[in-house]
Amino acid sequence: MRLSARVDYALRAAAELASVADGADAGRSRPVTAEQIARSQDIPPKFLESILLQLRRGGIVHAQRGPEGGYWLARPAAEISLAEVIRVIDGPLAHVRGQRPEQLGYHGAARALQEVWIALRASEREILEQVTIADVAAGVLPGRITELAADPRAWS
């Protein structure tokens, strides 16, 4: 699986917003400026602005302009999965040559590849939908995720 820099930055920004939320008003404690997020997560500010715009359009964050302005999560972080953020930024989880695996037409000896790609997408989805922004911000991942990451083979 290859994740874009946009996705990496979007997930980091969402985790940063979750870390300042207090659970009130859909997780909003106070708006956080893009500059604060960029600084704390070492994200290029201009790049972050366009990512935050995508997240706002995708219903992940809310924004407010002005001196008291900034960004906050649109819902509690525990209700926002990593998969949802990835889909907002980069679209569907698994594509092969820009197509969804079920739309591919493999023939003959390669026919089973379609099932492999569909299984891969299902596996990615299982993990990415299970982990929430709240899990990441708290540094406490679901047990199955911790178990998978503890396997030394996962690190190579």
Side-chain angles (χ1 to χ4, degrees), residues 42-148:
D42 197 26
I43 300 171
K46 290 289 184 193
F47 199 26
L48 179 61
E49 287 285 351
S50 70
I51 291 167
L52 289 168
L53 178 61
Q54 271 187 279
L55 291 175
R56 186 178 62 76
R57 288 181 178 156
I60 304 291
V61 302
H62 286 307
Q64 175 179 313
R65 293 182 185 262
E68 299 295 317
Y71 297 87
W72 64 94
L73 294 176
R75 299 188 314 276
E79 295 177 10
I80 303 170
S81 71
L82 301 188
E84 183 179 357
V85 175
I86 292 168
R87 286 184 191 109
V88 164
I89 299 297
D90 274 356
L93 293 179
H95 273 108
V96 178
R97 298 185 329 252
Q99 295 182 34
R100 297 174 60 92
E102 62 273 15
Q103 295 173 332
L104 299 171
Y106 289 107
H107 306 285
R111 185 178 215 133
L113 280 175
Q114 184 176 37
E115 285 186 59
V116 172
W117 304 148
I118 290 171
L120 177 64
R121 179 181 60 194
S123 179
E124 288 177 355
R125 182 181 296 142
E126 180 181 355
I127 291 170
L128 296 171
E129 287 181 351
Q130 192 175 91
V131 181
T132 68
I133 296 299
D135 296 331
V136 173
V140 180
L141 300 174
R144 179 67 180 136
I145 306 308
T146 302
E147 180 184 312
L148 286 168

Side-chain angles (χ1 to χ4, degrees), residues 29-48:
S29 57
R30 62 179 168 78
V32 180
T33 67
E35 181 181 309
Q36 290 169 313
I37 297 167
R39 196 174 334 110
S40 65
Q41 289 298 317
D42 197 26
I43 300 171
K46 290 289 184 193
F47 199 26
L48 179 61

